[in-house]
Amino acid sequence: MTMHSPPSDPTSASAPDSRLAAALRFTTELVAWIGAPWALWSHSPWLAIGSVVVLIGLPTVFQTPGDKPRVVVPVPGIVTVVMVLLQLVAAVVAAWYAWPAAVTVVVSVLAVACVVTEQPRWRWLLGRGRQTPPAPTS
C-alpha cells in the first residue's frame, strides 16, 4: 500500500498535511512551548509566561479555514504560515539559550525538517491568503 499526498490545490477544502509534517510541526511546537519559557525565566517570569500565552494562544485562536476542523477566528493563510515560523524560530533560539549544544543541533535539524515537510501545506495556505476568510458564524 502506498501513501499519496493530497494535491496542493489552494482551492481544495482542506490543507494537504502529511502525518510526518504534522508530527514534526507538533514536536517543534512542543520544543518552543518548553524552551521559550525555560530560556526567558531567568530574565523575567512574566516574559516566560507571556511566551507560552503567545506561542499556544495565537494558533489556538487564529486559524485558516480548511486547515483545522474548527476555526475560532478565521485568518488568511499567510498568518498561519507566520505563526508556524514564529514557533520554529522560538524553538531554535530558545534551544541556543537554554540547552547544551548537542540539543541545540537536534532542535535546529528538527526545525529545518519541519520547514521542508511543511512546503505543500504552506503553498496551500498561501493560496488561501488570496481569499477573504468567511465571517464567523454564531
Side-chain angles (χ1 to χ4, degrees):
M1 179 166 84
T2 60
M3 293 190 69
H4 296 284
S5 297
S8 59
D9 176 12
T11 61
S12 67
S14 63
D17 197 13
S18 72
R19 287 183 188 170
L20 176 61
L24 290 173
R25 184 173 61 251
F26 176 73
T27 304
T28 308
E29 288 171 347
L30 197 57
V31 170
W33 301 342
I34 295 166
W38 190 323
L40 291 169
W41 191 264
S42 64
H43 299 288
S44 166
W46 291 109
L47 279 176
I49 293 166
S51 71
V52 174
V53 170
V54 168
L55 291 171
I56 295 174
L58 287 179
T60 301
V61 174
F62 301 100
Q63 299 110 1
T64 302
D67 189 42
K68 302 289 180 204
R70 293 194 176 130
V71 174
V72 178
V73 177
V75 295
I78 185 69
V79 175
T80 298
V81 172
V82 168
M83 286 190 293
V84 172
L85 288 170
L86 174 68
Q87 300 268 357
L88 296 171
V89 169
V92 172
V93 171
W96 280 98
Y97 282 99
W99 299 320
V103 175
T104 301
V105 169
V106 171
V107 171
S108 299
V109 169
L110 174 67
V112 169
C114 185
V115 168
V116 170
T117 60
E118 282 285 295
Q119 293 306 301
R121 178 172 173 253
W122 287 359
R123 279 191 296 276
W124 183 89
L125 285 165
L126 293 173
R128 300 294 281 196
R130 293 185 219 111
Q131 301 171 358
T132 304
T137 58
S138 49

